[in-house]
Amino acid sequence: MRKPSIGEYNLGALAGAVVGSIGGLFAIGLPPAILHRNPAFLFATPILGFLCWLVCGVVGWFIGGQVGPRLGEKYGSQQAEIVGGALAGLIPVAGIILLSWYVTVR
């Protein structure tokens, strides 16, 4: 089994970075918007949204770059590599959403 190096460019890393960065834009504002039933809370903290975009994109790149190629090799398909990278890119987004939910409820 091929083990990709950390930070290596591949389709899984690209998919993880795209999903992580787009999800990171909305991750910090999603729980307050749901709890307060006001969509304006999605964009209430633009600086934190930018930081989450940056962090989730970079972390999604690294995690997707590790998970994607392994799934692609296991199933022998580029589509599996892309899907694996995209699912791995959701991991930092889910972490930010859970942190934001905890802070908002508390």
Side-chain angles (χ1 to χ4, degrees), residues 15-52:
V18 168
V19 169
S21 61
I22 298 299
L25 278 175
F26 302 105
I28 198 78
L30 189 63
I34 291 172
L35 289 174
H36 298 290
R37 294 186 178 123
N38 186 358
F41 278 101
L42 280 173
F43 308 106
T45 55
I47 294 174
L48 283 176
F50 174 74
L51 290 175
C52 290

Side-chain angles (χ1 to χ4, degrees), residues 1 4-6 24 26-28 40 46-47 52 54 63 69 75 90 92 96 104:
M1 176 177 252
S5 62
I6 301 291
F26 302 105
I28 198 78
I47 294 174
C52 290
L54 189 65
I63 296 175
Y75 293 110
L90 287 174
I96 297 290
T104 303

Side-chain angles (χ1 to χ4, degrees), residues 31 96-106:
I96 297 290
I97 288 174
L98 290 174
L99 177 68
S100 178
W101 188 275
Y102 175 76
V103 170
T104 303
V105 170
R106 201 140 200 270

